[in-house]
Amino acid sequence: MSSVLDLRPAPAAAGPRSAPPRRRTRVLSLPEARWALAALVLFLIALPLNLLGAPAWLWGPLFAATYITGGWEPGWEGLKALKDKTLDVDLLMVVAALGAAAIGQVLDGALLIVIFATSGALEAVATARTADSVRGLLDLAPTTAARLLPGGGEETVAAEDLQVGDVILVRPGERVGADGQVVDGTSDVGQASITGEPLPVTKQTGDEVFAGTVNGTGALRVRVERDPADSVIARIVKMVEEASETKAPTQLFIEKIEQSYSIGMVIATLAVFAIPLAFGSTLQPALLRAMTFMIVASPCAVVLSTMPPLLSAIANAGRHGVLAKSAVVMERLGQVDAVALDKTGTLTEGTPRVTDIRPLPGSGFDEDGLLALAAAAEHPSEHPLARAVADAARERRLPLPEALDFASAPGQGVSATVAGRTVQVGSPARLSATTGPASAVVVELEDAGQTAVLVLRDDSPVGVIGIADRLRPDAAATVTALTELTGRSPVLLTGDNERAARHLAAQVGITDVRAGLLPEDKVAAVQEWEGEGRKVLVVGDGVNDAPALAAAHTGIAMGKAGSDLALETADAVVVRDELATIPTVVALSRTARRLVVQNLVIAGVFITALVAWDLIATLPLPLGVAGHEGSTVIVGLNGLRLLREAAWTDPDRRGAS
């Protein structure tokens, strides 16, 4: 069962060109989900009636309806595939189910139908959600832009109609309409959606800006440097789409196995039926032997060899805050041998916080006094650094004096009159603190990976405040655990600056650091490692991480602050933002994969023995059914072991499973 990722835009509604509403595919709007749900409900109603010995006329029609609702679509697709001389396992499952029903094993066949219908529905839902998310990314870029006219004035045009060389006006609070270069103005621009950098970056004449980034308090005039179809946002969409398609070789390999198995089963069943007839056997014994062969050789136990361990691992991980989106994802997690971690929002919490308060000697301030002074001046500002200062004062419950004459200068800082004195808070470089005690403190804080904020009163420095994105408390332990699991230290991939990245990496024990990366650079790094044969796990949280999450062998998104696209593109989501769960779920996946191998061996032994018995001697049908069902129960119970709490909490017990 396969679904095609359809990224064609939904029909546009009439009206002005405002940002379109996000359209999310509902699960029950998918036909695969509706048919699978119908089959499951019918099966669950019929099952107790059958087991309790109710008359066949009660449960028989319900099982028949289960066959129809769950099996008609894969059966029809399988018949259509025959036109291309292709025989897939879906059709084989339908035939096996019908064969089971033909000799009275209606329950076996119905269970097979339900399993495959549910699998197809899950795949369809995952595909639809990915397509929704990629389309929704386009909402980051504005649909209109204010284009400046050569003779003066401006006009509102569709962003997609902008041409290279056009100059657009980006007002405070607006999103930039195209990739380009600032030709006039200064402002702080939030680039988290592109680079992942948590703090706004000051942009002035000559600097590059990206479509979809958020302008701060200043006005910018931007010359368009790239066609809108080639913007960074558009390229992210394209890369996610292409990376999703690169998973096709694995699917092709699976289909090849299915094809061989299907052909072999059909040939073997026909041979078991036809050869005795050729040697004079009567029709009834030959048909009974063939049907017995189809029952004992049917892949029920093989199917359950894989699903119970993986689904149990999924359920266990889900109880502990890790959502794996499919059984395939859970299996792939255990294959990773290299890890790439994002910085902001992944190893860190993604929110700037005050980390140091340094009153200068002779200033007359202690820490609380300096923080209260800065917070009073910063309180009216909406800048993330200002919010961090104000939040720190609020946490300490400091009374703030009234601030008058507030003014904000993009890229420089704020000023206000506090208790009759002029207070300035902002960038040390912009406030000319290049010498003296303040300069030494600024250098010390910046060398420690913090953003230094200078506080002046009446033009005299009185202190410096350090602000940084706080490291997650479990970051270092997580890096150590991942190193032990994969045999190599994780790599840090970040859009943040080199100095901050290396300082944080040193704190958690990472030596390989790649900083200042755009989304395409992260994808290139992942593809480089994949080209060397590594199976890379990427962990991130932002829109800028989505292409790398899609390109990687497996992607995990941090759920609390993660972007919608990252959450949808990733194969798994850490919904509680507990970083330490990542190595645990990788270890759990490896245990699940070992149980899958155990189950396959068990199933293979049973199938081989029963088939050999049926072919060499005469296998009684009841014994064949008992052996077949017995192997199915054994592998099912073996897989359910991973539902235990010990499978998550006790690594030693996991390893001994």
Side-chain angles (χ1 to χ4, degrees), residues 222-276:
V222 177
R223 183 175 61 245
V224 178
E225 299 288 342
R226 292 192 188 96
D227 186 278
D230 194 38
S231 68
V232 172
I233 284 289
R235 281 183 284 163
I236 291 177
V237 174
K238 183 178 180 182
M239 284 187 289
V240 171
E241 185 179 354
E242 290 177 347
S244 298
E245 293 174 354
T246 60
K247 296 178 182 179
T250 301
Q251 183 63 33
L252 290 175
F253 175 76
I254 294 173
E255 290 175 357
K256 182 179 179 180
I257 299 300
E258 291 176 348
Q259 178 72 1
S260 300
Y261 182 82
S262 301
I263 294 174
M265 276 291 295
V266 170
I267 294 174
T269 302
L270 292 175
V272 170
F273 176 64
I275 292 176

Side-chain angles (χ1 to χ4, degrees), residues 383-394:
H383 194 284
L385 294 182
R387 289 198 297 270
V389 172
D391 288 345
R394 188 180 304 110

Side-chain angles (χ1 to χ4, degrees), residues 49-407:
L49 296 175
N50 177 271
L51 296 179
L52 294 174
W57 60 265
L58 277 178
W59 50 261
L62 293 172
F63 276 136
T66 301
Y67 279 74
I68 294 171
T69 54
W72 80 267
E73 188 174 28
W76 178 247
E77 292 298 323
L79 290 174
K80 290 195 295 184
L82 288 177
K83 295 181 179 179
D84 300 324
K85 299 181 180 180
T86 299
L87 184 63
D88 60 29
V89 76
D90 291 345
L91 181 60
L92 178 62
M93 291 303 96
V94 174
V95 172
L98 294 175
I103 59 171
Q105 303 303 317
V106 178
L107 177 58
D108 278 356
L111 179 61
L112 257 178
I113 289 293
V114 170
I115 289 174
F116 275 84
T118 303
S119 175
L122 291 175
E123 183 179 353
V125 169
T127 302
R129 288 290 171 83
T130 300
D132 286 345
S133 181
V134 176
R135 292 193 204 100
L137 175 61
L138 297 174
D139 294 345
L140 286 176
T143 56
T144 61
R147 181 166 60 190
L148 300 180
L149 302 174
E154 64 180 71
E155 62 177 349
T156 300
V157 299
E160 62 187 20
D161 294 335
L162 291 172
Q163 303 290 326
V164 174
D166 286 346
V167 177
I168 59 175
L169 175 64
V170 186
R171 294 182 170 85
E174 293 183 344
R175 289 188 180 272
V176 179
D179 289 4
Q181 186 180 72
V182 177
V183 295
D184 185 49
T186 301
S187 185
D188 294 320
V189 177
Q191 300 189 137
S193 62
I194 300 297
T195 67
E197 194 164 7
L199 303 179
V201 178
T202 300
K203 297 292 185 179
Q204 53 192 353
T205 302
D207 289 338
E208 184 179 20
V209 292
F210 304 107
T213 55
V214 182
N215 188 24
T217 56
L220 297 176
R221 294 183 181 226
V222 177
R223 183 175 61 245
V224 178
E225 299 288 342
R226 292 192 188 96
D227 186 278
D230 194 38
S231 68
V232 172
I233 284 289
R235 281 183 284 163
I236 291 177
V237 174
K238 183 178 180 182
M239 284 187 289
V240 171
E241 185 179 354
E242 290 177 347
S244 298
E245 293 174 354
T246 60
K247 296 178 182 179
T250 301
Q251 183 63 33
L252 290 175
F253 175 76
I254 294 173
E255 290 175 357
K256 182 179 179 180
I257 299 300
E258 291 176 348
Q259 178 72 1
S260 300
Y261 182 82
S262 301
I263 294 174
M265 276 291 295
V266 170
I267 294 174
T269 302
L270 292 175
V272 170
F273 176 64
I275 292 176
L277 289 178
F279 284 90
S281 175
T282 59
L283 179 62
Q284 184 68 19
L287 180 59
L288 181 60
R289 183 185 291 269
M291 287 298 96
T292 302
F293 174 85
M294 179 169 286
I295 292 296
V296 299
S298 69
C300 289
V302 175
V303 171
L304 288 179
S305 295
T306 302
M307 297 307 293
L310 297 176
L311 292 179
S312 297
I314 289 173
N316 202 337
R319 290 201 306 265
H320 294 87
V322 182
L323 173 62
K325 295 185 178 180
S326 71
V328 174
V329 170
M330 181 54 70
E331 184 178 23
R332 291 166 69 91
L333 277 168
Q335 299 171 345
V336 300
D337 57 12
V339 180
L341 300 170
D342 175 49
K343 172 181 171 287
T344 304
T346 301
L347 289 174
T348 69
E349 295 177 348
T351 303
R353 297 177 182 270
V354 171
T355 52
D356 262 301
I357 304 172
R358 303 285 188 89
L360 295 179
S363 66
F365 288 97
D366 59 10
E367 287 190 6
D368 285 353
L370 178 63
L371 180 59
L373 182 69
E378 293 270 37
H379 189 265
S381 174
E382 295 183 356
H383 194 284
L385 294 182
R387 289 198 297 270
V389 172
D391 288 345
R394 188 180 304 110
E395 289 173 2
R396 295 191 181 201
R397 298 182 178 179
L398 301 179
L400 302 183
E402 184 180 6
L404 305 173
D405 304 322
F406 173 81

